[in-house]
Amino acid sequence: MGPHPAVAAIRLAVRRVLHDVLTEHSAQHSSPPGGAHPLVLVACSGGADSMALASALAFEARKLPLRAGGVTVDHGLQHGSTQRAREVADRMTALGLDPVDAVTVTVGRDGGPEAAARDARYAALDAAVERHGATAVLLGHTRDDQAETVLLGLARGSGIRSLSGMAAVSGTAGRYRRPFLELDRQTVRKACIAQELAVWDDPHNADPAYTRSRLRHEGLPALEKALGKGVVEALARTAQLSRDDADALDSWAADAETSVRDETGRLECAKLFGLPPAVRRRVLRRAVIASGAPAGSLFARHIEEVDRLITGWRGQGAINLPGRVEALRQGGRLVIRQG
């Protein structure tokens, strides 16, 4: 008798990603350094999504020429979080993952509590990759998470890139992989039950103080009641279609950027004005980020203000942007610099 259908589904999703990782690793390395197989880590909070992912990684890695480990991040935001992190690390070790790290981070304030926790978490994961020489990190985001991300982007009015949600492959050198983006949260939970995996339900996920929590427990159910079932799947399809469009526009903007700079590398306002708005705003965003603005803190309204220096010039002063970056127009050139 084969595994439970939900277990089979998550294992298949992980198997496909691991084969991709191995193929890419083999193309870049003629032979493993010192005979060591590539290492894949799983980011595990102890919740159902990440525990199912950790279990599937441990199962599939045994059949492949790779090593499997795990990282759990203690954000220090709840009472007993250090003990829970140790318990999650012990569970990953019991699954056969090695190495396993429990990392404590300090969460800042920039961008609000959710964004600050996310930034601290990814910084810890990046550090774990460097520390262990890992090839990839698996993340447990599901199709439901993707739908929530699309709606949050829509609410912020952040443009097509926000509507494209989370990429299946992202990060430096494609280190982050999301095998579950085509699986719903219910399938993942069923897999945990079928395998009798102990999971921890983060109370923050049900706390209405957090925007994503309100969306999950109030917003999406209301949409499904009004529009019928299938909203999550439709939003996930929107993410993929939007990503395809955004990727094409980003490529166009990257090519166009050199054509709108003068011989000293400064942006020429007249040439920027001649670009299609969607391409021009991408060129401006790239330039602002290159000057030191954090991408996660840069919203559509910021770029719209910079764009008005091109399309609605009335002698206005400098535009202040995140990261102490300012944009101003001087002598027909757009100057973007860190103050």
Side-chain angles (χ1 to χ4, degrees), residues 150-282:
V150 172
L151 281 176
L152 288 170
L154 183 62
R156 285 195 300 266
S158 299
I160 195 171
R161 178 54 72 185
S162 283
L163 294 184
S164 65
M166 296 174 285
V169 179
S170 65
T172 304
R175 67 175 42 157
Y176 292 112
R177 311 290 174 122
R178 296 177 174 86
F180 291 170
L181 283 184
E182 295 184 7
L183 298 177
D184 60 54
R185 192 173 288 139
Q186 193 62 31
T187 296
V188 174
R189 281 199 168 274
K190 287 178 181 177
C192 288
I193 294 170
Q195 297 174 95
E196 299 182 346
L197 293 174
V199 300
W200 173 65
D201 288 317
D202 186 346
H204 281 176
N205 291 336
D207 188 344
Y210 293 93
T211 305
R212 187 178 285 268
S213 174
R214 293 196 302 274
L215 181 60
R216 179 175 301 176
H217 297 288
E218 300 172 26
L220 270 173
L223 279 175
E224 290 199 330
K225 183 177 180 180
L227 302 175
K229 294 293 184 181
V231 169
V232 168
E233 293 85 347
L235 288 168
R237 284 196 302 274
T238 296
Q240 186 55 59
L241 293 170
S242 298
R243 180 165 297 280
D244 292 343
D245 290 349
D247 287 347
L249 287 167
D250 285 348
S251 178
W252 186 354
D255 292 339
E257 186 170 355
T258 56
S259 70
V260 296
R261 292 185 181 273
D262 63 17
E263 62 278 0
T264 66
R266 293 182 300 174
L267 292 165
E268 297 188 66
C269 295
K271 291 181 178 178
L272 282 166
F273 186 84
L275 292 175
V279 177
R280 181 176 61 247
R281 286 192 290 267
R282 279 167 168 76

Side-chain angles (χ1 to χ4, degrees), residues 112-123:
E114 292 167 280
R118 183 179 61 249
D119 290 345
R121 180 167 58 254
Y122 277 100

Side-chain angles (χ1 to χ4, degrees), residues 3-338:
H4 186 280
V7 176
I10 65 168
R11 287 177 178 174
L12 176 60
V14 169
R15 189 183 315 142
R16 287 171 173 165
V17 168
L18 294 182
H19 278 295
D20 289 344
V21 169
L22 282 171
T23 299
E24 293 166 18
H25 186 270
S26 298
Q28 296 168 9
H29 303 85
S30 56
S31 61
H37 292 310
L39 171 65
V40 176
L41 300 172
V42 58
C44 185
S45 67
D49 301 346
S50 59
M51 281 304 300
L53 184 57
S55 173
L57 172 61
F59 181 85
E60 294 296 331
R62 292 198 272 284
K63 302 181 288 183
L64 296 169
L66 57 77
R67 295 172 295 138
V71 181
T72 186
V73 178
D74 172 18
H75 299 85
L77 299 177
Q78 300 176 35
H79 178 70
S81 63
T82 300
Q83 176 62 29
R84 276 193 295 273
R86 285 197 293 265
E87 291 171 357
V88 173
D90 289 344
R91 289 172 192 167
M92 287 193 285
T93 299
L95 288 171
L97 299 179
D98 181 40
V100 169
D101 285 353
V103 182
T104 301
V105 298
T106 300
V107 177
R109 297 176 180 271
D110 291 347
E114 292 167 280
R118 183 179 61 249
D119 290 345
R121 180 167 58 254
Y122 277 100
L125 294 175
D126 284 337
V129 168
E130 300 302 325
R131 185 165 58 251
H132 295 294
T135 299
V137 179
L138 305 188
L139 304 174
H141 299 118
T142 64
R143 187 169 61 192
D144 298 76
D145 296 309
Q146 184 75 298
E148 293 162 9
T149 301
V150 172
L151 281 176
L152 288 170
L154 183 62
R156 285 195 300 266
S158 299
I160 195 171
R161 178 54 72 185
S162 283
L163 294 184
S164 65
M166 296 174 285
V169 179
S170 65
T172 304
R175 67 175 42 157
Y176 292 112
R177 311 290 174 122
R178 296 177 174 86
F180 291 170
L181 283 184
E182 295 184 7
L183 298 177
D184 60 54
R185 192 173 288 139
Q186 193 62 31
T187 296
V188 174
R189 281 199 168 274
K190 287 178 181 177
C192 288
I193 294 170
Q195 297 174 95
E196 299 182 346
L197 293 174
V199 300
W200 173 65
D201 288 317
D202 186 346
H204 281 176
N205 291 336
D207 188 344
Y210 293 93
T211 305
R212 187 178 285 268
S213 174
R214 293 196 302 274
L215 181 60
R216 179 175 301 176
H217 297 288
E218 300 172 26
L220 270 173
L223 279 175
E224 290 199 330
K225 183 177 180 180
L227 302 175
K229 294 293 184 181
V231 169
V232 168
E233 293 85 347
L235 288 168
R237 284 196 302 274
T238 296
Q240 186 55 59
L241 293 170
S242 298
R243 180 165 297 280
D244 292 343
D245 290 349
D247 287 347
L249 287 167
D250 285 348
S251 178
W252 186 354
D255 292 339
E257 186 170 355
T258 56
S259 70
V260 296
R261 292 185 181 273
D262 63 17
E263 62 278 0
T264 66
R266 293 182 300 174
L267 292 165
E268 297 188 66
C269 295
K271 291 181 178 178
L272 282 166
F273 186 84
L275 292 175
V279 177
R280 181 176 61 247
R281 286 192 290 267
R282 279 167 168 76
V283 171
L284 296 177
R285 179 179 172 82
R286 287 167 59 91
V288 171
I289 292 172
S291 296
S297 302
L298 198 60
F299 301 132
R301 66 177 184 274
H302 296 126
I303 302 305
E304 287 168 3
E305 294 227 6
V306 178
D307 195 36
R308 277 194 283 272
L309 294 175
I310 309 299
T311 62
W313 174 242
R314 297 291 185 273
Q316 56 264 52
I319 305 298
N320 294 317
L321 300 164
R324 296 183 297 107
V325 172
E326 65 174 12
L328 65 157
R329 181 165 172 156
Q330 288 181 341
R333 302 293 189 271
L334 184 67
V335 179
I336 302 174
R337 64 194 180 195
Q338 198 163 40

